[in-house]
């Protein structure tokens, strides 16, 4: 559910939505969400001073309160 949200949100922002891919690495304490995007879209996804990715993290932290699972999100170039 959270991965689908992150992928759809990134596709709305990106200039190359076909390059967006999300991988999930579940660990013992933290679930890591890796968002792969075109090099040209990395800046758009992070935003000025990290505000865009910060907004995504805020929404995900609300899911943490419900599920009890901690999430970490990383943005990487394809």
């Amino acid at each position: 559910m959270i991965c689908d949200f992150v992928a759809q949100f990134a596709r709305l922002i990106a200039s190359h939505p076909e390059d967006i891919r999300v991988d999930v690495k579940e660990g013992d304490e933290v679930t890591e969400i890796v968002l792969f995007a075109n090099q040209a879209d990395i800046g758009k996804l992070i935003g000025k001073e990290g505000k865009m990715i910060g907004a995504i993290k805020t929404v995900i932290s609300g899911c943490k309160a419900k599920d009890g699972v901690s999430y970490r999100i990383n943005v990487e170039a394809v």
Side-chain angles (χ1 to χ4, degrees):
M1 179 176 130
I2 294 172
C3 300
D4 296 333
F5 165 76
V6 171
Q8 289 299 322
F9 190 79
R11 285 186 184 106
L12 291 173
I13 297 169
S15 298
H16 305 279
E18 65 279 357
D19 293 340
I20 300 293
R21 183 173 48 102
V22 177
D23 287 343
V24 178
K25 299 176 185 174
E26 294 187 21
D28 294 335
E29 298 177 6
V30 177
T31 299
E32 183 176 3
I33 300 170
V34 183
L35 177 61
F36 293 98
N38 190 308
Q39 181 68 38
D41 292 327
I42 298 292
K44 289 181 181 180
L45 292 171
I46 294 174
K48 271 190 183 173
E49 298 177 6
K51 290 186 179 182
M52 187 64 69
I53 198 71
I56 295 171
K57 288 179 181 180
T58 301
V59 171
I60 291 174
S61 69
C63 296
K64 175 186 174 183
K66 182 180 177 184
D67 298 341
V69 178
S70 294
Y71 295 96
R72 180 183 305 144
I73 185 164
N74 292 326
V75 180
E76 296 184 13
V78 174

